[in-house]
Amino acid sequence: MDTMIAKKDALERLHGLRFDEKYLTIWVTSTGCTDKKDFEIRFTKGTAGKITLALEILRIAPDLCKTTTHVVELSFSWEELGIAVELLKSASVKVANPFGVLR
């Protein structure tokens, strides 16, 4: 069965997203084996004027486990993503990922 959870290298459907001083936290669908290493987080700088960052969260490894579908919370530090917190404070961020509810 080819579900959104099993698709690889696609923008991940998010159930939530939060930025704070230390972390980017996302909520994504899992069937039991979803982990931080399964995702690639991309920030791309925009051009001219106020700094704009485009955020893309891609699942690079599918979750092929068979437990009941549920939502998991994953946190990434700005340090591990290579993003300066000072940059985020002065930028607007556009999220490319779709948002949805667990069905």
Side-chain angles (χ1 to χ4, degrees):
M1 181 170 141
D2 189 26
T3 65
M4 278 304 277
I5 302 164
K7 286 186 180 169
K8 182 180 163 200
D9 296 326
L11 287 174
E12 181 72 4
R13 179 173 306 279
L14 303 175
H15 299 286
L17 176 124
R18 181 180 65 221
F19 290 84
D20 64 28
E21 293 276 330
K22 296 183 180 184
Y23 299 100
L24 164 66
T25 303
I26 60 173
W27 286 265
V28 295
T29 303
S30 174
T31 54
C33 296
T34 296
D35 194 81
K36 285 172 55 167
K37 67 181 177 0
D38 300 335
F39 294 90
E40 180 179 328
I41 313 282
R42 296 181 187 165
F43 279 96
T44 308
K45 277 189 181 178
T47 58
K50 183 175 169 125
I51 299 170
T52 301
L53 297 173
L55 169 62
E56 296 179 329
I57 301 168
L58 290 91
R59 185 180 288 267
I60 57 173
D63 182 341
L64 300 175
C65 288
K66 305 289 185 198
T67 66
T68 303
T69 303
H70 59 283
V71 175
V72 295
E73 177 181 314
L74 303 172
S75 292
F76 302 83
S77 73
W78 297 117
E79 184 178 325
E80 71 183 297
L81 294 175
I83 301 293
V85 174
E86 295 77 27
L87 175 63
L88 288 171
K89 288 180 180 178
S90 61
S92 60
V93 178
K94 295 183 179 183
V95 180
N97 296 67
F99 285 81
V101 295
L102 185 61
R103 297 181 194 260

